[in-house]
Amino acid sequence: MNGSPHTVSDVMSHTVVAVGRDAPFKEIVRLIEQWKVSALPVLEGEGRVVGVVSEADLLPKEEFRDSDPDRFVQRRRLPDLAKAGALTAGELMSTPAVTVHADAPVAQAARIMAQRKVKRLPVVSREGLLEGIVSRVDLLKVFLRTDEELAQEVRREVVAPLFPAPLEPVEVEVSDGVVTLTGRIRDTSLVPVVARAVRAVEGVVDVTFHLANGSSGEPR
């Protein structure tokens, strides 16, 4: 992976398995098993995403297959009971679909997944047309960047602007994604700012400091 992937388009999969509203239950199960995915976008028209059908949407049919729920369960599990009787993607799907735009930051996609408790997000255009899919494992691709790539970006984007050489020589070393900054700086109050900037670099696991005040020489 070359450069820093800042947006969903850098990590998403362009090959997407999707279904229409009329896709039957067994066809949905077959596609999920065949493609080893946890959910399928549901499309209509020229490819507009109108919902998502997931494994969780399919399970009520098995859960309630031979049961006769009492009134309390019926009231509490009404949506699941409706899905237990569903036959098509249109009846099964969760709607509106939780989606993300291709130009959204990777961190935004991660927040949406965490907040909405989903494993995959359809990637859509501004018109709502399907462009790809991004999964949890896709978002982790940023951590495959090499230590040297990370070091170069930290030097270029963080160290060079904040600690101009040779006035404040700060060395950057990266090991397994952990960035270590070593040197002497004039203003140690900048350390929290630097920490935030380094952690914002895609693929950085953590940051540590061995920085001393340029005037007193006392480590901070």
Side-chain angles (χ1 to χ4, degrees), residues 69-114:
D70 57 30
R71 290 183 179 179
F72 174 75
V73 173
Q74 290 178 14
R75 288 195 299 269
R76 187 168 58 89
R77 303 287 302 280
L78 186 59
D80 288 337
L81 285 168
K83 290 186 178 185
L87 299 177
T88 66
E91 296 168 337
L92 287 160
M93 69 183 183
S94 299
T95 186
V98 181
T99 62
V100 68
H101 294 301
D103 59 357
V106 169
Q108 180 180 339
R111 283 194 296 270
I112 293 172
M113 285 187 187

Side-chain angles (χ1 to χ4, degrees), residues 27-214:
E27 174 69 5
I28 297 167
V29 174
R30 186 185 68 79
L31 288 172
I32 285 178
E33 168 61 23
Q34 178 182 348
W35 292 93
K36 308 301 179 188
V37 295
S38 58
L40 301 173
V42 181
L43 310 181
E44 71 175 9
E46 298 181 354
R48 187 166 62 87
V49 179
V50 293
V52 172
V53 59
S54 69
E55 294 168 327
D57 296 318
L58 302 172
L59 283 175
K61 187 173 290 292
E62 177 64 18
E63 179 185 355
F64 295 105
R65 179 170 55 85
D66 58 356
S67 67
D68 185 18
D70 57 30
R71 290 183 179 179
F72 174 75
V73 173
Q74 290 178 14
R75 288 195 299 269
R76 187 168 58 89
R77 303 287 302 280
L78 186 59
D80 288 337
L81 285 168
K83 290 186 178 185
L87 299 177
T88 66
E91 296 168 337
L92 287 160
M93 69 183 183
S94 299
T95 186
V98 181
T99 62
V100 68
H101 294 301
D103 59 357
V106 169
Q108 180 180 339
R111 283 194 296 270
I112 293 172
M113 285 187 187
Q115 292 169 356
R116 303 300 294 270
K117 296 180 173 58
V118 295
K119 298 178 182 179
R120 300 162 66 84
L121 291 173
V123 183
V124 298
S125 67
R126 295 296 171 182
E127 293 74 34
L129 302 181
L130 184 65
E131 294 187 334
I133 198 89
V134 64
S135 65
R136 289 176 178 176
V137 70
D138 291 326
L139 300 184
L140 294 176
K141 289 178 182 177
V142 297
F143 294 104
L144 297 178
R145 301 183 69 201
T146 67
D147 288 343
E148 182 54 34
E149 284 179 306
L150 296 174
Q152 289 178 0
E153 182 163 345
V154 171
R155 292 184 189 111
R156 183 180 65 250
E157 303 295 334
V158 181
V159 171
L162 292 176
F163 307 118
L167 298 176
E168 297 180 280
V170 173
E171 298 295 326
V172 178
E173 294 183 2
V174 183
S175 177
D176 290 333
V178 178
V179 178
T180 300
L181 301 182
T182 305
R184 304 176 70 83
I185 61 176
R186 291 177 294 179
D187 185 1
T188 53
S189 68
L190 284 175
V191 169
V193 176
V194 176
R196 287 193 296 272
V198 173
R199 290 193 176 99
V201 173
E202 298 284 5
V204 167
V205 175
D206 200 1
V207 56
T208 61
F209 299 94
H210 297 288
L211 299 173
N213 185 282

